[in-house]
Amino acid sequence: MKAIVINTYGDEDALNYVDVDRPEPKADEILVKVHVAAVNPADWKIRNGMGEQFGFKLPLILGGDIAGTVEVVGDGVKSFKQGDAVYGITLAHLSGGYAEYAVAKAEAIAPKPENITFDAAAAIQIVALTA
């Protein structure tokens, strides 16, 4: 799959568009086919070096806010099925949203309301937590 990966901390030149292995969800996780990934200050702060302070390991795919459809459901996850439209927060330290697919804890994902777009849904999570 295609993803935007950082191999070193720094400015926007640290971003690399590359092929990486598609992540696989664990028992309490889901794999989301990313339709939209939002960009927020946490992403550039992590890219600029805060990721190291938080203990993130490089290489790293940024992007905590996503909206998309469920591709694979981990064992034991009963709240979602393949094809569900969802939005939520990824496991950015393992699998961020700046990729074709991202892994998230099932508890960090919610069904996308039918009356909002994927674009709008992707912009909600971290902003709402901050507020």
Side-chain angles (χ1 to χ4, degrees):
M1 73 170 186
K2 291 292 190 183
I4 297 175
V5 176
I6 62 169
N7 295 304
T8 184
Y9 295 108
D11 63 17
E12 64 275 359
D13 290 334
L15 301 170
N16 301 287
Y17 186 61
V18 297
D19 289 307
V20 298
D21 292 335
R22 189 179 91 168
E24 291 300 323
K26 295 181 181 161
D28 60 344
E29 300 170 350
I30 62 173
L31 179 70
V32 176
K33 179 173 179 39
V34 178
H35 294 255
V36 179
V39 178
N40 65 62
D43 297 312
W44 64 261
K45 289 177 182 179
I46 291 168
R47 186 201 68 218
N48 281 351
M50 286 183 94
E52 188 171 29
Q53 295 171 1
F54 294 145
F56 290 0
K57 303 290 184 218
L58 297 174
L60 180 64
I61 300 171
L62 298 172
D65 299 313
I66 61 166
T69 52
V70 175
E71 185 75 13
V72 178
V73 177
D75 293 337
V77 175
K78 306 292 185 214
S79 52
F80 297 102
K81 66 183 183 320
Q82 186 178 26
D84 285 348
V86 296
Y87 70 114
I89 299 174
T90 69
L91 299 174
H93 64 287
L94 299 174
S95 171
Y98 295 178
E100 293 180 89
Y101 296 91
V103 170
K105 294 282 188 189
E107 63 194 26
I109 297 293
K112 183 187 77 61
E114 290 183 20
N115 63 339
I116 64 172
T117 66
F118 283 103
D119 291 345
I124 297 171
Q125 293 72 243
I126 293 176
V127 172
L129 285 173
T130 302

